[in-house]
Amino acid sequence: MNRYPGVKPFEVSEQSIFFGRGHDTDELLNLTLLEKISVLFGKSGYGKSSLINAGLIPYFLNTPPDSDQFFQPIAIRFGNFIDETSSISPTHRLRLKIENTLPLNPEGDFLQELVQEQNLWHQFKRRQNKNPQRILLLFDQFEEFFSYPSIQQNQFLQELEELIYTKIPQPIRDMGERISDQNFEFLSRELDIRVLFSIRADRLSLLDRLKGYLPSILDNRYELSALKPADAEQAIAKPASLQLENQPFDTPPFVYSPQALEAIINKLLEAREESGGGIEAFELQVICQEIEQRVESGKVNTRNADGVLEIEVEDLPPFENIFEAYYKRQIGLLSTEQEQKAAQVVIEDGLLLLNDNNVEEARRLSVDGDALIERYSSHGAGQALLNALEDAFLVRREPNTTGGYNYEISHDTLIIPIANARRERRIEEANRKALKAAEEAKEKAREEERQKLSEKMRQTAERGRRRAIILAAIALALFFTSAIAFLYARKQAALAKDKREEAEDRLQKYKQALFARDSLNFLWIKSRADEFASAASLLEAPDDSLGWDVACELYRLNEKTFLVEKEAFSNINPGLDSIEREQYILTQLDSLRKKMEQCE
């Protein structure tokens, strides 16, 4: 549990940490106990809802039911009207609330038989279980009531008027003969209904419209003012030091040094002259919640003599940007980054009138919701986003004269932080645009350089292509020329081969002819040689048997024969036999020459 709930209103369950509004609680309590109708009003952010939830309601819940000061509190908030389909009328919403809060009393069942149409008086009377029955209706943020159609407003006011001021409606009185004494006794029981309307100060004038039904509605008012410094000190210091057994906190107890507490009060009093030097609960809660988060995250380590964590001046967050940090933190709570960016655009551009050169003069605008959505739909703005911003207490909506709603920044305190955030965002956007432009310029230069290089490469490639085409043409011409030359050479080679083969054939035939001739000569010579060999063998006989002349002639013939044979053998491929024959012929020639020397 947090010690400081932040900017959201205190809940009934947080009454234990609600401090600084004791006097206001007592004054409002006295007013509601004395008057049938009371009005609580004050500026937005002063804590009207918190005063009701954590101040007034707990008082009645802790009061004994049999006490004269006990009223059963029933808190109702209508919410803004959306459309006929999705919005519940104020009358029906109140009926549902009492049905879920007050049990039926069987003694009042006869009313259902008497009257078919059950209005608010009937609904409350049928649930009266005490005498008297005291009920306090608390209508918080009642300015939302005026967003509903007039016919629904009138119906509610008629029934509320009867509930408050009429003890027994006249139609039921007219049925006196049908009402038993027992039932009449039930009808006579006191039903004391008190009403408290809570409304923003700038919407207080709207209540004047209700005087036709509630004439005294503006007679009994209580204005909730800003916190006085002493009350603010209680709201700051007391929740920090609490230690409750039944309500564990997220942080250990801590205290503020006098110097730190004074610094916080002085900061909250700055620029609040228009509120009479008071302190707004909205700003107080933002600062205290930031301090609590620092304690929870371990950023505060100083302890006093009792060993309790003590907030010193140096432990305080930087006040100059604390509300800006709160604004950014609330934006950061949105689900997606796209929603966060859309929220910034809607709030900072759509709901703020600002001259960037003069942040101090910034002021908030009230803009129709449909116009906001239409203007910033491209950024992701829609009704869901506006609802989320309202839930985050960054914007608030009010019904306008066209049947829709106007939206505006929830609190004046956020105007300057939002203006600073807008200026920072636009500077960042301008820097991003400048960086993007520089990158685009670089990319453009790189692209131009790439295009130049590409064009140069294209031209080079074109020249290469042309050269390639020329070379290909030359190569093709050379190919065809070579092919023709090859074919011609092949043809010539074939012709040469044919001629060579023909020449070789003729040469072979010529050689064969020569060989045949030589062979024939050889055979003839050989035959003659054999004959001369026989003759020579005769000459080897004693020389006396023949005449010397005859022998010499035979020697000469024999020599010619061997010479012819020798020449014949030289024209034939020699083999072993031919070599031996040739050697034999040479030997014989040598022998013959020696003998022929004798013939000389």
Side-chain angles (χ1 to χ4, degrees):
M1 178 178 176
N2 291 323
R3 297 176 182 273
Y4 305 97
V7 298
K8 72 178 185 64
F10 279 76
E11 302 291 341
V12 175
S13 60
E14 295 172 324
Q15 57 180 296
S16 61
I17 57 174
F18 183 67
F19 294 97
R21 289 296 189 184
H23 173 74
D24 297 300
T25 302
D26 292 340
E27 291 295 320
L28 186 61
L29 173 63
N30 291 333
L31 186 62
T32 56
L33 291 175
L34 291 173
E35 304 295 340
K36 279 281 187 179
I37 299 177
S38 306
V39 174
L40 171 65
F41 70 100
K43 288 181 62 177
S44 176
Y46 274 15
K48 298 182 295 297
S49 297
S50 297
L51 180 62
I52 291 173
N53 294 337
L56 196 61
I57 292 178
Y59 171 83
F60 290 112
L61 294 179
N62 296 325
T63 299
D66 56 352
S67 171
D68 291 341
Q69 292 191 338
F70 175 79
F71 279 80
Q72 183 167 357
I74 300 178
I76 305 102
R77 180 179 174 185
F78 295 128
N80 284 294
F81 177 79
I82 299 175
D83 53 51
E84 295 287 351
T85 303
S86 55
S87 295
I88 301 174
S89 72
T91 304
H92 187 53
R93 188 177 293 277
L94 179 54
R95 288 177 181 176
L96 291 175
K97 183 70 176 182
I98 61 175
E99 287 175 3
N100 294 326
T101 305
L102 302 174
L104 286 169
N105 185 349
E107 292 182 87
D109 289 346
F110 72 93
L111 289 171
Q112 193 171 6
E113 299 175 1
L114 290 176
V115 181
Q116 295 298 320
E117 184 179 354
Q118 302 288 310
N119 58 20
L120 288 177
W121 185 90
H122 291 85
Q123 294 293 331
F124 276 88
K125 195 65 179 178
R126 290 184 61 197
R127 288 168 172 78
Q128 183 176 358
N129 291 287
K130 298 178 182 178
N131 187 19
Q133 178 94 36
R134 297 187 177 94
I135 297 173
L136 175 61
L137 299 179
L138 301 160
F139 294 103
D140 193 16
Q141 299 192 34
F142 192 66
E143 60 270 12
E144 297 172 341
F145 170 79
F146 298 95
S147 68
Y148 286 81
S150 297
I151 188 172
Q152 295 185 15
Q153 294 184 35
N154 293 333
Q155 179 190 1
F156 173 79
L157 292 171
Q158 289 173 1
E159 295 191 19
L160 182 64
E161 178 190 18
E162 183 181 55
L163 175 66
I164 296 173
Y165 295 116
T166 304
K167 185 171 184 180
I168 301 176
Q170 188 61 43
I172 294 180
R173 287 181 180 274
D174 295 339
M175 300 178 185
E177 67 281 0
R178 296 173 55 187
I179 301 174
S180 65
D181 292 342
Q182 182 180 359
N183 290 340
F184 192 81
E185 188 276 331
F186 177 80
L187 290 174
S188 300
R189 296 175 187 174
E190 182 181 0
L191 180 61
D192 190 357
I193 303 295
R194 306 290 174 92
V195 178
L196 174 66
F197 297 103
S198 175
I199 192 168
R200 278 168 36 196
D202 58 347
R203 296 291 184 269
L204 182 64
S205 61
L206 294 173
L207 297 181
D208 193 58
R209 303 178 187 177
L210 311 186
K211 283 187 174 181
Y213 299 96
L214 308 172
S216 64
I217 188 169
L218 290 174
D219 293 347
N220 304 295
R221 296 170 294 178
Y222 182 77
E223 181 178 7
L224 184 64
S225 302
L227 286 164
K228 294 178 173 60
D231 296 329
E233 286 187 12
Q234 291 185 31
I236 295 170
K238 287 192 174 182
S241 59
L242 279 179
Q243 191 167 4
L244 304 175
E245 292 183 1
N246 59 338
Q247 287 182 313
F249 293 102
D250 296 336
T251 61
F254 59 92
V255 297
Y256 294 85
S257 69
Q259 296 80 8
L261 192 58
E262 181 181 5
I264 296 172
I265 296 297
N266 289 338
K267 171 60 183 176
L268 292 171
L269 286 172
E270 286 180 5
R272 291 300 166 210
E273 296 180 0
E274 69 278 9
S275 60
I279 293 170
E280 293 193 16
F282 177 93
E283 296 177 351
L284 183 148
Q285 286 294 323
V286 170
I287 291 177
C288 291
Q289 192 176 54
E290 178 66 24
I291 293 172
E292 183 180 16
Q293 289 178 354
R294 284 174 168 260
V295 173
E296 186 176 0
S297 62
K299 294 181 179 179
V300 178
N301 299 308
T302 306
R303 297 182 179 272
N304 60 16
D306 297 327
V308 179
L309 288 173
E310 186 172 35
I311 306 296
E312 299 289 352
V313 174
E314 56 269 20
D315 297 321
L316 298 177
F319 291 137
E320 61 274 8
N321 62 359
I322 190 169
F323 297 110
E324 187 172 342
Y326 164 78
Y327 166 68
K328 292 179 179 178
R329 185 167 59 248
Q330 294 300 103
I331 291 292
L333 294 177
L334 297 175
S335 302
T336 65
E337 184 178 354
Q338 182 181 359
E339 284 183 329
Q340 295 169 13
K341 291 181 178 179
Q344 286 183 277
V345 173
V346 168
I347 295 174
E348 297 167 14
D349 293 346
L351 300 179
L352 193 69
L353 180 62
L354 171 66
N355 179 352
D356 284 341
N357 295 324
N358 193 355
V359 173
E360 298 296 330
E361 295 297 324
R363 60 187 179 89
R364 56 183 173 180
L365 299 174
S366 180
V367 182
D368 180 75
D370 293 336
L372 275 177
I373 293 172
E374 181 179 359
R375 187 182 308 166
Y376 299 109
S377 60
S378 61
H379 295 273
Q383 189 59 51
L385 177 66
L386 295 180
N387 293 341
L389 294 178
E390 188 177 10
D391 293 340
F393 299 96
L394 291 176
V395 303
R396 66 188 182 194
R397 66 175 177 173
E398 296 294 335
N400 56 33
T401 57
T402 61
Y405 295 94
N406 279 17
Y407 289 81
E408 62 183 4
I409 295 170
S410 62
H411 200 275
D412 289 339
T413 305
L414 295 176
I415 292 177
I416 291 179
I418 289 173
N420 289 329
R422 166 176 155 170
R423 184 169 58 182
E424 290 179 7
R425 176 174 60 84
R426 291 196 170 184
I427 291 174
E428 291 178 0
E429 289 175 353
N431 290 337
R432 284 196 297 269
K433 287 180 180 178
L435 182 61
K436 183 179 179 180
E439 289 295 329
E440 288 176 350
K442 288 181 181 179
E443 182 61 28
K444 183 178 180 181
R446 286 194 292 266
E447 182 62 26
E448 289 176 354
E449 188 64 27
R450 284 195 294 267
Q451 289 179 357
K452 289 180 181 178
L453 180 60
S454 177
E455 179 63 20
K456 186 176 180 180
M457 293 175 65
R458 188 192 66 79
Q459 292 175 358
T460 302
E462 182 64 22
R463 289 194 295 269
R465 188 181 66 83
R466 288 197 296 267
R467 284 198 297 268
I469 292 173
I470 294 171
L471 291 175
I474 294 173
L476 188 60
L478 291 174
F479 171 76
F480 284 113
T481 303
S482 300
I484 293 171
F486 172 75
L487 293 175
Y488 178 77
R490 185 173 181 182
K491 182 178 180 180
Q492 294 299 318
L495 292 174
K497 181 180 178 182
D498 292 342
K499 290 184 178 181
R500 185 176 66 252
E501 290 177 352
E502 181 182 358
E504 289 177 351
D505 184 60
R506 292 176 63 186
L507 179 60
Q508 184 66 26
K509 289 179 179 179
Y510 176 71
K511 286 182 177 180
Q512 290 176 356
L514 290 179
F515 181 76
R517 186 197 65 184
D518 292 341
S519 297
L520 291 174
N521 289 336
F522 172 71
L523 292 175
W524 177 80
I525 293 169
K526 186 176 183 297
S527 62
R528 292 298 306 272
D530 291 340
E531 291 178 2
F532 282 115
S534 299
S537 63
L538 293 177
L539 291 178
E540 291 176 359
D543 295 338
D544 294 342
S545 62
L546 291 173
W548 185 257
D549 292 333
V550 176
C552 289
E553 184 63 25
L554 288 174
Y555 285 141
R556 281 192 289 274
L557 289 173
N558 205 4
E559 179 186 17
K560 289 181 181 179
T561 300
F562 280 111
L563 286 173
V564 172
E565 185 177 3
K566 176 179 178 298
E567 183 178 359
F569 271 95
S570 64
N571 292 325
I572 301 174
N573 290 331
L576 182 58
D577 293 340
S578 61
I579 293 173
E580 292 178 353
R581 179 63 177 170
E582 185 178 6
Q583 187 64 37
Y584 169 77
I585 293 171
L586 292 176
T587 302
Q588 294 298 322
L589 283 173
D590 185 59
S591 175
L592 286 174
R593 284 172 181 155
K594 289 180 179 180
K595 290 182 178 180
M596 286 175 66
E597 289 177 356
Q598 297 176 7
C599 291
E600 295 177 357

